[in-house]
Amino acid sequence: MAITKIEISDMILTGNLFNESGYDEGKSAENLAELKGNIIIDHLESLYPGVEICADIAIQMDSGRPRPLEVLVYNENNEKNQKEADDILNQLSQKIAEGTATQSWAVKIA
C-alpha cells in the first residue's frame, strides 16, 4: 500500500547540548532544530515526492534523558506501517548525525 503521510517528532533538551559553558543554549537549540528539520524534510521529500510530511521538533529548556526520534508512517487507509517507519528512522538518524556533527549550529556567547 502506498505511503500517504509521514510524521516525525523530536525533542531537543537544551541542558544536554554541551559539556562545557560558553554557549547560548537557547539560540543553539533553535539553530539545531532548524537544521534537523531541514535535513528531515529534504531527505524525505527526495524519497517520497507528493507524500504529506510533518516534522515537529520541540525544544525544552531542561536536561535529562534524551527522547529518541519518533517516526510514524501511514498508508492510504490511515494504517500505520511500522516496517517503513523503522527504515525511515534508521535513515534519518544517520543523516541527522552526519549533518549535525560539526556543531555549526552552536552559538558561542560573546
Side-chain angles (χ1 to χ4, degrees):
M1 294 191 165
I3 294 172
T4 57
K5 183 176 185 179
I6 302 171
E7 295 179 352
I8 310 294
S9 61
D10 193 13
M11 179 178 289
I12 296 169
L13 297 171
T14 60
N16 293 358
L17 291 177
F18 306 105
N19 292 326
E20 57 191 55
S21 60
Y23 291 92
D24 185 320
E25 291 177 350
K27 287 182 183 176
S28 295
E30 289 173 14
N31 290 347
L32 180 56
E34 183 177 349
L35 178 57
K36 282 183 165 187
N38 289 338
I39 291 168
I40 290 166
I41 297 298
D42 290 348
H43 181 70
L44 293 178
E45 284 181 345
S46 71
L47 294 177
Y48 303 95
V51 171
E52 180 182 354
I53 299 169
C54 302
D56 179 32
I57 302 173
I59 298 172
Q60 186 172 339
M61 303 301 265
D62 201 359
S63 60
R65 192 169 138 207
R67 192 181 110 197
L69 191 67
E70 184 177 322
V71 178
L72 299 172
V73 176
Y74 299 93
N75 64 25
E76 65 269 8
N77 296 328
N78 207 31
E79 297 169 334
K80 292 181 183 176
N81 181 331
Q82 191 60 49
K83 182 189 179 318
E84 194 71 30
D86 291 343
D87 290 345
I88 291 171
L89 174 63
N90 290 333
Q91 293 169 23
L92 289 177
S93 295
Q94 181 178 349
K95 292 281 186 188
I96 289 170
E98 291 169 0
T100 60
T102 63
Q103 290 194 344
S104 61
W105 47 268
V107 178
K108 290 203 174 223
I109 297 172

